[in-house]
Amino acid sequence: NRLRGRGNTWGAGYADIVKENQLFEDYYKELGLVPEGEFEQFMDAMREPLPATIRITGYKRYPDELAWQTNMSRKIIRKSPLLEKFHQFLVSETESGNISRQEAVSMIPPLLMKIESHHKILDMCAAPGSKTAQLIEMLHADMDVPFPEGFVIANDVDNKRCYLLVHQAKRLNSPCIMVINHDASIIPSLQVATDGWREALFYDRILCDVPCSGDGTMRKNIDVWKKWTTANSLHLHGLQLRIAIRGVEQLAVGGRMVYSTCSLNPIEDEAVIAALLEKSEGALELADCSADLPGLKTMPGVSSWKVTRPGQWFNDFSEVPSSRHTQIRPTMFPHTDKDKLASFHLDRCMRVLPHHQNTGGFFLAALVKTAPMPWNKRAPKVNTHLSSLASRVRAMLVCVSHVCVSHLTPSAPPRPPPHKRKKMFGFKEDPFVFLSEDDPVLAPIQSFYDLSPNFPKLNVLTRSHEGKKRHLYMVSKELRNVMLNNSERMKVINTGVKVWSRNSDGEQFGCAFRLAQEGIYTLYPYIRSRMVTVSVEDIKVLLTQENPFLSKLQSKAHAQAKSLGMGSIVLRYQEPLEPQCPIELCGWRGKTSIRAFVPRNERFHYLRMLGVEVFRDKSGQRGAPREGGEEPKEGGEEPREGGEEVETKEDTEMASGDIVGDSEGKMESDQP
């Protein structure tokens, strides 16, 4: 209460917001979704600010308690002088990818997907990307496997929001994520090459977190109070159903799709699921997830609801006047066949009410695909000429939705992406160019770092066809397969984790490319030289002094560093003492000094782990003395020696193209 007092200017504004919408209250009272006697509690909870929640990145060897909630709102944490250190900690660790500030209910959908490291995953409406980050984390559950077999393709229709996805993905430094820019309702079918044959890509898991009216987010998105009307759901229902249909079309048989919204409205929730089940003719079934998250309080899905326009309630489509048929559609109503409706098991859907566990409102349903969709079962039409050639060229056509693609013969290798000859969808992005095994760039890198023979050279890419390569990125073998076989089908915004950056004078030391901290966890298993084993005290020196002399290192690290020539190195910590998790840092061995090439927020993270104070007051001064008494400057602007390169803001960006896309609104329950 002290923090929310009106006398504090940083907390002002709460009393000025009118959190009332009589139409909203009347609508949900009439639907009866809230248990009897709880409606006032429900409305009181909706008017309270949403508690701040954080999630610890799940694959970075932390304890099992991976999500935490405080009863304070984000605004209080941001504005309160008493919480300044805590807020700085949250911002810094979020930027480093060690935590995510994400609403509690937003964390649920990925948990119901039952993801394994080999799964091919599609996130259909992914921005701003906190759920996407969870999916990536789940793929990397085993940190000893740098390239999981699975991958995440994260899509959003809004080009600008795609860059929120890029920012989220960049924090996790994964080679298994691709960001694309398409309308989810018509997202293209992709192909992959298997044993020389090209076949349709079907996903093992799909997250279908559709655009919605967002009335479950009223606790943090205050504008919803004044903008909410019953028409919002009517306008969105058709789009939500089209996206869900496109999702199950691309789902593998045996795969699972989780449909979710941050709306409580059955027209956006159960009505979409029921229509989807009806159209599937038994190819889909709702999974019972009631035991998957035993600590979560949810309400079962409903099988009865009504549709309204101002002043009118309709129980069935037959009651809707013809003048309203363009706004109110049959799929918005419960099925009239009671036996059919019962067979859908809509009670297996889950609705989260805000007052039950002090959260936002949310809806979830997990669908399992048991057979191909009925409209995909029909045999494709094959013309006579192709049929006559089938026995000779072993060609066959497979119809995937609207797209028919021809299988490659076993002897035909996948072709690299062609040069861009024209603008596609109104834009021309920088190319994604994979290096060949004999690319002259790779030989000195292989030699300098003594890369192991199993290093996947073919997974290395750059962003230009011509000129010197500035940065080298890596993707997993499976994502490479997707890119090589779909370059003209999809608009790729971003993929790959940066592993090397060109150094201005590095060639004189034997290699023109230095290691990038973003890609160290991907590269480390393959590097067999240029290693310096450091202690806790060494790390403190390296992260708090700008360019310490080699003599500042303890004897073991000093001897190893002295034995190496100048150039890029790996600084490796692994001891049974605190901290128990291993640490790999990129560094530079100069003529007489050594330094760590680590972004500022990551420096702060490792220093916190070692018990070094890293708090800054508002004047920019550190709140406690630093080791060595010096502060590393921001942006990598540090003294250079022996050809060291200053890393610019552009260098810190992921491999991203400049693309103009469409626009589609989405009310997210995980807006950062």
Side-chain angles (χ1 to χ4, degrees), residues 640-669:
R640 291 180 286 160
E641 174 182 14
E644 296 175 54
E645 180 189 44
V646 172
E647 187 165 25
T648 65
K649 182 175 185 290
E650 182 181 359
D651 293 334
T652 65
E653 299 298 327
M654 293 182 71
S656 304
D658 295 324
I659 300 172
V660 177
D662 301 318
S663 166
E664 172 182 284
K666 177 184 176 188
M667 182 68 71
E668 272 278 347
S669 68

PDB file of all heavy atoms in Angstrom, residues 640-669:
ATOM      1  N   ARG A 640      41.902  -0.563 -27.892  1.00  0.00           N
ATOM      2  CA  ARG A 640      42.189  -1.711 -28.743  1.00  0.00           C
ATOM      3  C   ARG A 640      43.691  -1.930 -28.822  1.00  0.00           C
ATOM      4  O   ARG A 640      44.488  -1.026 -28.659  1.00  0.00           O
ATOM      5  CB  ARG A 640      41.614  -1.481 -30.148  1.00  0.00           C
ATOM      6  CG  ARG A 640      40.112  -1.501 -30.167  1.00  0.00           C
ATOM      7  CD  ARG A 640      39.596  -1.261 -31.563  1.00  0.00           C
ATOM      8  NE  ARG A 640      39.735   0.133 -31.947  1.00  0.00           N
ATOM      9  CZ  ARG A 640      39.722   0.557 -33.204  1.00  0.00           C
ATOM     10  NH1 ARG A 640      39.585  -0.289 -34.179  1.00  0.00           N
ATOM     11  NH2 ARG A 640      39.847   1.837 -33.476  1.00  0.00           N
ATOM     12  N   GLU A 641      44.023  -3.168 -29.117  1.00  0.00           N
ATOM     13  CA  GLU A 641      45.440  -3.494 -29.225  1.00  0.00           C
ATOM     14  C   GLU A 641      45.586  -4.609 -30.231  1.00  0.00           C
ATOM     15  O   GLU A 641      44.789  -5.529 -30.274  1.00  0.00           O
ATOM     16  CB  GLU A 641      45.956  -3.962 -27.862  1.00  0.00           C
ATOM     17  CG  GLU A 641      47.389  -4.447 -27.929  1.00  0.00           C
ATOM     18  CD  GLU A 641      47.854  -4.955 -26.587  1.00  0.00           C
ATOM     19  OE1 GLU A 641      47.007  -5.162 -25.721  1.00  0.00           O
ATOM     20  OE2 GLU A 641      49.054  -5.145 -26.424  1.00  0.00           O
ATOM     21  N   GLY A 642      46.591  -4.530 -31.055  1.00  0.00           N
ATOM     22  CA  GLY A 642      46.898  -5.626 -31.959  1.00  0.00           C
ATOM     23  C   GLY A 642      45.776  -5.964 -32.906  1.00  0.00           C
ATOM     24  O   GLY A 642      45.489  -7.133 -33.135  1.00  0.00           O
ATOM     25  N   GLY A 643      45.103  -4.968 -33.450  1.00  0.00           N
ATOM     26  CA  GLY A 643      44.097  -5.250 -34.466  1.00  0.00           C
ATOM     27  C   GLY A 643      42.738  -5.577 -33.911  1.00  0.00           C
ATOM     28  O   GLY A 643      41.891  -6.084 -34.622  1.00  0.00           O
ATOM     29  N   GLU A 644      42.468  -5.291 -32.622  1.00  0.00           N
ATOM     30  CA  GLU A 644      41.146  -5.574 -32.089  1.00  0.00           C
ATOM     31  C   GLU A 644      40.127  -4.656 -32.744  1.00  0.00           C
ATOM     32  O   GLU A 644      40.399  -3.500 -33.029  1.00  0.00           O
ATOM     33  CB  GLU A 644      41.137  -5.369 -30.576  1.00  0.00           C
ATOM     34  CG  GLU A 644      42.055  -6.340 -29.862  1.00  0.00           C
ATOM     35  CD  GLU A 644      42.112  -6.044 -28.387  1.00  0.00           C
ATOM     36  OE1 GLU A 644      41.047  -5.995 -27.772  1.00  0.00           O
ATOM     37  OE2 GLU A 644      43.209  -5.852 -27.868  1.00  0.00           O
ATOM     38  N   GLU A 645      38.923  -5.182 -32.915  1.00  0.00           N
ATOM     39  CA  GLU A 645      37.894  -4.448 -33.640  1.00  0.00           C
ATOM     40  C   GLU A 645      36.838  -3.948 -32.679  1.00  0.00           C
ATOM     41  O   GLU A 645      36.400  -4.661 -31.792  1.00  0.00           O
ATOM     42  CB  GLU A 645      37.239  -5.358 -34.672  1.00  0.00           C
ATOM     43  CG  GLU A 645      36.165  -4.664 -35.476  1.00  0.00           C
ATOM     44  CD  GLU A 645      35.404  -5.639 -36.330  1.00  0.00           C
ATOM     45  OE1 GLU A 645      35.065  -6.720 -35.822  1.00  0.00           O
ATOM     46  OE2 GLU A 645      35.149  -5.330 -37.487  1.00  0.00           O
ATOM     47  N   VAL A 646      36.416  -2.692 -32.829  1.00  0.00           N
ATOM     48  CA  VAL A 646      35.314  -2.163 -32.043  1.00  0.00           C
ATOM     49  C   VAL A 646      34.011  -2.729 -32.576  1.00  0.00           C
ATOM     50  O   VAL A 646      33.755  -2.670 -33.777  1.00  0.00           O
ATOM     51  CB  VAL A 646      35.288  -0.617 -32.119  1.00  0.00           C
ATOM     52  CG1 VAL A 646      34.021  -0.095 -31.464  1.00  0.00           C
ATOM     53  CG2 VAL A 646      36.507  -0.035 -31.431  1.00  0.00           C
ATOM     54  N   GLU A 647      33.186  -3.257 -31.696  1.00  0.00           N
ATOM     55  CA  GLU A 647      31.911  -3.814 -32.132  1.00  0.00           C
ATOM     56  C   GLU A 647      30.866  -2.707 -32.129  1.00  0.00           C
ATOM     57  O   GLU A 647      30.668  -2.026 -31.134  1.00  0.00           O
ATOM     58  CB  GLU A 647      31.480  -4.936 -31.188  1.00  0.00           C
ATOM     59  CG  GLU A 647      30.255  -5.653 -31.672  1.00  0.00           C
ATOM     60  CD  GLU A 647      30.052  -6.958 -30.937  1.00  0.00           C
ATOM     61  OE1 GLU A 647      30.530  -7.068 -29.813  1.00  0.00           O
ATOM     62  OE2 GLU A 647      29.408  -7.842 -31.499  1.00  0.00           O
ATOM     63  N   THR A 648      30.222  -2.508 -33.259  1.00  0.00           N
ATOM     64  CA  THR A 648      29.243  -1.443 -33.393  1.00  0.00           C
ATOM     65  C   THR A 648      27.860  -1.951 -33.059  1.00  0.00           C
ATOM     66  O   THR A 648      27.634  -3.139 -32.888  1.00  0.00           O
ATOM     67  CB  THR A 648      29.232  -0.905 -34.827  1.00  0.00           C
ATOM     68  OG1 THR A 648      28.791  -1.957 -35.687  1.00  0.00           O
ATOM     69  CG2 THR A 648      30.616  -0.461 -35.254  1.00  0.00           C
ATOM     70  N   LYS A 649      26.899  -1.003 -32.997  1.00  0.00           N
ATOM     71  CA  LYS A 649      25.513  -1.388 -32.752  1.00  0.00           C
ATOM     72  C   LYS A 649      25.021  -2.326 -33.844  1.00  0.00           C
ATOM     73  O   LYS A 649      24.292  -3.276 -33.593  1.00  0.00           O
ATOM     74  CB  LYS A 649      24.631  -0.146 -32.694  1.00  0.00           C
ATOM     75  CG  LYS A 649      23.165  -0.438 -32.384  1.00  0.00           C
ATOM     76  CD  LYS A 649      22.396   0.860 -32.225  1.00  0.00           C
ATOM     77  CE  LYS A 649      20.962   0.590 -31.788  1.00  0.00           C
ATOM     78  NZ  LYS A 649      20.167  -0.025 -32.832  1.00  0.00           N
ATOM     79  N   GLU A 650      25.447  -2.062 -35.083  1.00  0.00           N
ATOM     80  CA  GLU A 650      25.032  -2.915 -36.187  1.00  0.00           C
ATOM     81  C   GLU A 650      25.550  -4.333 -36.009  1.00  0.00           C
ATOM     82  O   GLU A 650      24.897  -5.305 -36.366  1.00  0.00           O
ATOM     83  CB  GLU A 650      25.533  -2.340 -37.506  1.00  0.00           C
ATOM     84  CG  GLU A 650      25.102  -3.152 -38.727  1.00  0.00           C
ATOM     85  CD  GLU A 650      25.627  -2.557 -40.007  1.00  0.00           C
ATOM     86  OE1 GLU A 650      26.291  -1.528 -39.946  1.00  0.00           O
ATOM     87  OE2 GLU A 650      25.369  -3.148 -41.058  1.00  0.00           O
ATOM     88  N   ASP A 651      26.766  -4.452 -35.425  1.00  0.00           N
ATOM     89  CA  ASP A 651      27.348  -5.770 -35.228  1.00  0.00           C
ATOM     90  C   ASP A 651      26.513  -6.616 -34.271  1.00  0.00           C
ATOM     91  O   ASP A 651      26.547  -7.840 -34.324  1.00  0.00           O
ATOM     92  CB  ASP A 651      28.767  -5.660 -34.641  1.00  0.00           C
ATOM     93  CG  ASP A 651      29.736  -5.042 -35.620  1.00  0.00           C
ATOM     94  OD1 ASP A 651      29.491  -5.163 -36.825  1.00  0.00           O
ATOM     95  OD2 ASP A 651      30.727  -4.439 -35.172  1.00  0.00           O
ATOM     96  N   THR A 652      25.799  -5.955 -33.355  1.00  0.00           N
ATOM     97  CA  THR A 652      25.050  -6.714 -32.361  1.00  0.00           C
ATOM     98  C   THR A 652      23.707  -7.185 -32.866  1.00  0.00           C
ATOM     99  O   THR A 652      23.007  -7.905 -32.179  1.00  0.00           O
ATOM    100  CB  THR A 652      24.818  -5.854 -31.095  1.00  0.00           C
ATOM    101  OG1 THR A 652      23.980  -4.759 -31.431  1.00  0.00           O
ATOM    102  CG2 THR A 652      26.129  -5.352 -30.534  1.00  0.00           C
ATOM    103  N   GLU A 653      23.332  -6.759 -34.065  1.00  0.00           N
ATOM    104  CA  GLU A 653      22.055  -7.193 -34.611  1.00  0.00           C
ATOM    105  C   GLU A 653      22.165  -8.598 -35.183  1.00  0.00           C
ATOM    106  O   GLU A 653      23.200  -9.016 -35.665  1.00  0.00           O
ATOM    107  CB  GLU A 653      21.592  -6.235 -35.722  1.00  0.00           C
ATOM    108  CG  GLU A 653      21.376  -4.811 -35.256  1.00  0.00           C
ATOM    109  CD  GLU A 653      20.291  -4.700 -34.217  1.00  0.00           C
ATOM    110  OE1 GLU A 653      19.337  -5.478 -34.277  1.00  0.00           O
ATOM    111  OE2 GLU A 653      20.409  -3.850 -33.332  1.00  0.00           O
ATOM    112  N   MET A 654      21.054  -9.343 -35.148  1.00  0.00           N
ATOM    113  CA  MET A 654      21.026 -10.648 -35.795  1.00  0.00           C
ATOM    114  C   MET A 654      20.907 -10.458 -37.297  1.00  0.00           C
ATOM    115  O   MET A 654      20.678  -9.367 -37.795  1.00  0.00           O
ATOM    116  CB  MET A 654      19.837 -11.468 -35.288  1.00  0.00           C
ATOM    117  CG  MET A 654      19.958 -11.859 -33.830  1.00  0.00           C
ATOM    118  SD  MET A 654      18.575 -12.846 -33.309  1.00  0.00           S
ATOM    119  CE  MET A 654      18.879 -14.370 -34.154  1.00  0.00           C
ATOM    120  N   ALA A 655      21.056 -11.552 -38.025  1.00  0.00           N
ATOM    121  CA  ALA A 655      20.963 -11.488 -39.485  1.00  0.00           C
ATOM    122  C   ALA A 655      19.538 -11.176 -39.885  1.00  0.00           C
ATOM    123  O   ALA A 655      18.691 -12.046 -39.901  1.00  0.00           O
ATOM    124  CB  ALA A 655      21.390 -12.818 -40.080  1.00  0.00           C
ATOM    125  N   SER A 656      19.252  -9.906 -40.182  1.00  0.00           N
ATOM    126  CA  SER A 656      17.886  -9.498 -40.459  1.00  0.00           C
ATOM    127  C   SER A 656      17.796  -8.750 -41.770  1.00  0.00           C
ATOM    128  O   SER A 656      18.674  -7.972 -42.112  1.00  0.00           O
ATOM    129  CB  SER A 656      17.357  -8.589 -39.343  1.00  0.00           C
ATOM    130  OG  SER A 656      17.452  -9.235 -38.102  1.00  0.00           O
ATOM    131  N   GLY A 657      16.716  -8.976 -42.495  1.00  0.00           N
ATOM    132  CA  GLY A 657      16.484  -8.271 -43.752  1.00  0.00           C
ATOM    133  C   GLY A 657      15.539  -7.113 -43.553  1.00  0.00           C
ATOM    134  O   GLY A 657      14.874  -7.002 -42.544  1.00  0.00           O
ATOM    135  N   ASP A 658      15.462  -6.222 -44.523  1.00  0.00           N
ATOM    136  CA  ASP A 658      14.530  -5.099 -44.491  1.00  0.00           C
ATOM    137  C   ASP A 658      13.334  -5.454 -45.354  1.00  0.00           C
ATOM    138  O   ASP A 658      13.441  -5.547 -46.561  1.00  0.00           O
ATOM    139  CB  ASP A 658      15.194  -3.836 -45.025  1.00  0.00           C
ATOM    140  CG  ASP A 658      16.338  -3.397 -44.126  1.00  0.00           C
ATOM    141  OD1 ASP A 658      16.195  -3.568 -42.908  1.00  0.00           O
ATOM    142  OD2 ASP A 658      17.347  -2.893 -44.656  1.00  0.00           O
ATOM    143  N   ILE A 659      12.185  -5.630 -44.719  1.00  0.00           N
ATOM    144  CA  ILE A 659      11.020  -6.152 -45.420  1.00  0.00           C
ATOM    145  C   ILE A 659       9.812  -5.302 -45.100  1.00  0.00           C
ATOM    146  O   ILE A 659       9.632  -4.853 -43.973  1.00  0.00           O
ATOM    147  CB  ILE A 659      10.763  -7.610 -44.997  1.00  0.00           C
ATOM    148  CG1 ILE A 659      11.992  -8.456 -45.344  1.00  0.00           C
ATOM    149  CG2 ILE A 659       9.546  -8.189 -45.679  1.00  0.00           C
ATOM    150  CD1 ILE A 659      11.925  -9.841 -44.809  1.00  0.00           C
ATOM    151  N   VAL A 660       8.967  -5.076 -46.092  1.00  0.00           N
ATOM    152  CA  VAL A 660       7.704  -4.383 -45.889  1.00  0.00           C
ATOM    153  C   VAL A 660       6.601  -5.418 -45.892  1.00  0.00           C
ATOM    154  O   VAL A 660       6.464  -6.176 -46.840  1.00  0.00           O
ATOM    155  CB  VAL A 660       7.456  -3.343 -46.987  1.00  0.00           C
ATOM    156  CG1 VAL A 660       6.112  -2.694 -46.809  1.00  0.00           C
ATOM    157  CG2 VAL A 660       8.561  -2.294 -46.978  1.00  0.00           C
ATOM    158  N   GLY A 661       5.814  -5.480 -44.819  1.00  0.00           N
ATOM    159  CA  GLY A 661       4.797  -6.522 -44.741  1.00  0.00           C
ATOM    160  C   GLY A 661       3.412  -5.962 -44.549  1.00  0.00           C
ATOM    161  O   GLY A 661       3.183  -4.767 -44.614  1.00  0.00           O
ATOM    162  N   ASP A 662       2.448  -6.874 -44.313  1.00  0.00           N
ATOM    163  CA  ASP A 662       1.074  -6.476 -44.077  1.00  0.00           C
ATOM    164  C   ASP A 662       0.899  -6.081 -42.630  1.00  0.00           C
ATOM    165  O   ASP A 662       1.817  -6.066 -41.843  1.00  0.00           O
ATOM    166  CB  ASP A 662       0.134  -7.629 -44.436  1.00  0.00           C
ATOM    167  CG  ASP A 662       0.292  -8.038 -45.883  1.00  0.00           C
ATOM    168  OD1 ASP A 662       0.405  -7.135 -46.730  1.00  0.00           O
ATOM    169  OD2 ASP A 662       0.300  -9.240 -46.144  1.00  0.00           O
ATOM    170  N   SER A 663      -0.315  -5.808 -42.258  1.00  0.00           N
ATOM    171  CA  SER A 663      -0.598  -5.394 -40.888  1.00  0.00           C
ATOM    172  C   SER A 663      -1.818  -6.126 -40.384  1.00  0.00           C
ATOM    173  O   SER A 663      -2.833  -6.190 -41.043  1.00  0.00           O
ATOM    174  CB  SER A 663      -0.829  -3.878 -40.848  1.00  0.00           C
ATOM    175  OG  SER A 663      -1.406  -3.485 -39.648  1.00  0.00           O
ATOM    176  N   GLU A 664      -1.674  -6.717 -39.221  1.00  0.00           N
ATOM    177  CA  GLU A 664      -2.813  -7.404 -38.619  1.00  0.00           C
ATOM    178  C   GLU A 664      -2.687  -7.246 -37.124  1.00  0.00           C
ATOM    179  O   GLU A 664      -1.661  -7.572 -36.555  1.00  0.00           O
ATOM    180  CB  GLU A 664      -2.782  -8.887 -39.001  1.00  0.00           C
ATOM    181  CG  GLU A 664      -3.818  -9.731 -38.277  1.00  0.00           C
ATOM    182  CD  GLU A 664      -3.712 -11.199 -38.667  1.00  0.00           C
ATOM    183  OE1 GLU A 664      -4.151 -11.523 -39.774  1.00  0.00           O
ATOM    184  OE2 GLU A 664      -3.199 -11.988 -37.881  1.00  0.00           O
ATOM    185  N   GLY A 665      -3.704  -6.725 -36.479  1.00  0.00           N
ATOM    186  CA  GLY A 665      -3.627  -6.499 -35.049  1.00  0.00           C
ATOM    187  C   GLY A 665      -3.715  -7.782 -34.271  1.00  0.00           C
ATOM    188  O   GLY A 665      -4.360  -8.717 -34.668  1.00  0.00           O
ATOM    189  N   LYS A 666      -3.032  -7.830 -33.127  1.00  0.00           N
ATOM    190  CA  LYS A 666      -3.150  -8.984 -32.244  1.00  0.00           C
ATOM    191  C   LYS A 666      -3.018  -8.499 -30.821  1.00  0.00           C
ATOM    192  O   LYS A 666      -2.041  -7.850 -30.477  1.00  0.00           O
ATOM    193  CB  LYS A 666      -2.071 -10.024 -32.540  1.00  0.00           C
ATOM    194  CG  LYS A 666      -2.137 -11.209 -31.580  1.00  0.00           C
ATOM    195  CD  LYS A 666      -1.006 -12.167 -31.820  1.00  0.00           C
ATOM    196  CE  LYS A 666      -1.047 -13.266 -30.782  1.00  0.00           C
ATOM    197  NZ  LYS A 666       0.126 -14.132 -30.844  1.00  0.00           N
ATOM    198  N   MET A 667      -3.996  -8.797 -29.991  1.00  0.00           N
ATOM    199  CA  MET A 667      -3.916  -8.434 -28.592  1.00  0.00           C
ATOM    200  C   MET A 667      -3.192  -9.556 -27.884  1.00  0.00           C
ATOM    201  O   MET A 667      -3.690 -10.672 -27.815  1.00  0.00           O
ATOM    202  CB  MET A 667      -5.323  -8.262 -27.998  1.00  0.00           C
ATOM    203  CG  MET A 667      -5.310  -7.830 -26.551  1.00  0.00           C
ATOM    204  SD  MET A 667      -4.686  -6.166 -26.333  1.00  0.00           S
ATOM    205  CE  MET A 667      -6.019  -5.208 -27.017  1.00  0.00           C
ATOM    206  N   GLU A 668      -1.986  -9.277 -27.369  1.00  0.00           N
ATOM    207  CA  GLU A 668      -1.164 -10.322 -26.771  1.00  0.00           C
ATOM    208  C   GLU A 668      -1.272 -10.253 -25.263  1.00  0.00           C
ATOM    209  O   GLU A 668      -1.335  -9.187 -24.681  1.00  0.00           O
ATOM    210  CB  GLU A 668       0.300 -10.135 -27.166  1.00  0.00           C
ATOM    211  CG  GLU A 668       0.670 -10.814 -28.459  1.00  0.00           C
ATOM    212  CD  GLU A 668       0.952 -12.282 -28.232  1.00  0.00           C
ATOM    213  OE1 GLU A 668       1.095 -12.677 -27.069  1.00  0.00           O
ATOM    214  OE2 GLU A 668       1.009 -13.018 -29.211  1.00  0.00           O
ATOM    215  N   SER A 669      -1.223 -11.424 -24.644  1.00  0.00           N
ATOM    216  CA  SER A 669      -1.207 -11.455 -23.187  1.00  0.00           C
ATOM    217  C   SER A 669       0.206 -11.491 -22.653  1.00  0.00           C
ATOM    218  O   SER A 669       0.418 -11.638 -21.471  1.00  0.00           O
ATOM    219  CB  SER A 669      -1.961 -12.680 -22.685  1.00  0.00           C
ATOM    220  OG  SER A 669      -1.262 -13.848 -23.016  1.00  0.00           O
TER     221      SER A 669
END
